[in-house]
Amino acid sequence: DRMIPGYTRLYLGGYLSDLAVNPLSTQAYVLDTAGPRLIVIEPATLEWSDIELPFVPGKLLVNPIGSELLVTAPTTGQIGRFVLDASGNPGELELKDIGGSPNALACSGDGTLLAAAHLHERHISILDPVSLAELSRVGIVEACVDGLDNDGDGLTDRADPGCINGFDN
């Protein structure tokens, strides 16, 4: 009932897994992993539209300047990018392979740094926010079990003679 403030419910269906808002428009974005689809909502009018996604989505991120919307695809190792118009409506989906299982995204306040946490890897990918290319990886567990070549000798974890055991950092 639009006449009762604070009580209006909008049934979107499916399995809603994440929500993001655009700081420069009134648009809100919701992920439906059952669709899979991206739902774009105009809260003032309660009108919404949806965009089918070619993957099961993970999480959403609107960049700090409100010009693009990023969607992770953990099962395909990709990040999808929608360029947003002045009203906050998404354009065409662009997919970028980054590998791994990117799920959560975080961006610095000035938009110069983008990080992706993975579901099945023990590192965070530091990405270039423009190209989405992986610039580096940061281990989030001890160095001798993070799957990375931390000392640059071409060997990782237990294969590296610098690692005594899995607790060695």
Side-chain angles (χ1 to χ4, degrees):
D1 184 351
R2 291 184 176 148
M3 300 306 293
I4 303 174
Y7 190 71
T8 304
R9 292 188 176 129
L10 181 62
Y11 179 75
L12 301 173
Y15 181 72
L16 309 179
S17 62
D18 200 14
L19 166 74
V21 294
N22 190 327
L24 299 180
S25 77
T26 59
Q27 303 288 27
Y29 312 97
V30 178
L31 284 179
D32 175 7
T33 57
R37 62 195 175 121
L38 169 70
I39 304 165
V40 182
I41 305 169
E42 175 56 55
T45 62
L46 296 182
E47 293 179 11
W48 59 277
S49 61
D50 58 350
I51 300 168
E52 289 187 33
L53 297 173
F55 53 82
V56 176
K59 302 291 181 187
L60 287 170
L61 176 74
V62 178
N63 72 352
I65 58 172
S67 63
E68 52 186 36
L69 174 68
L70 301 176
V71 182
T72 59
T75 58
T76 61
Q78 297 172 309
I79 294 179
R81 179 192 331 235
F82 291 97
V83 174
L84 302 173
D85 68 16
S87 298
N89 296 311
E92 294 295 315
L93 174 66
E94 169 198 352
L95 290 173
K96 174 70 176 174
D97 292 320
I98 69 161
S101 54
N103 189 41
L105 292 170
C107 189
S108 62
D110 62 0
T112 60
L113 182 65
L114 179 65
H118 298 268
L119 281 179
H120 305 294
E121 281 75 34
R122 296 176 166 194
H123 67 271
I124 294 172
S125 296
I126 306 301
L127 307 171
D128 175 67
V130 176
S131 68
L132 299 180
E134 187 176 61
L135 301 174
S136 64
R137 293 180 174 178
V138 178
I140 55 175
V141 294
E142 286 82 6
C144 289
V145 291
D146 65 1
L148 303 175
D149 177 13
N150 302 95
D151 57 4
D153 64 0
L155 303 171
T156 61
D157 301 342
R158 290 306 223 348
D160 192 325
C163 288
I164 297 169
N165 59 43
F167 300 106
D168 189 0
N169 204 21

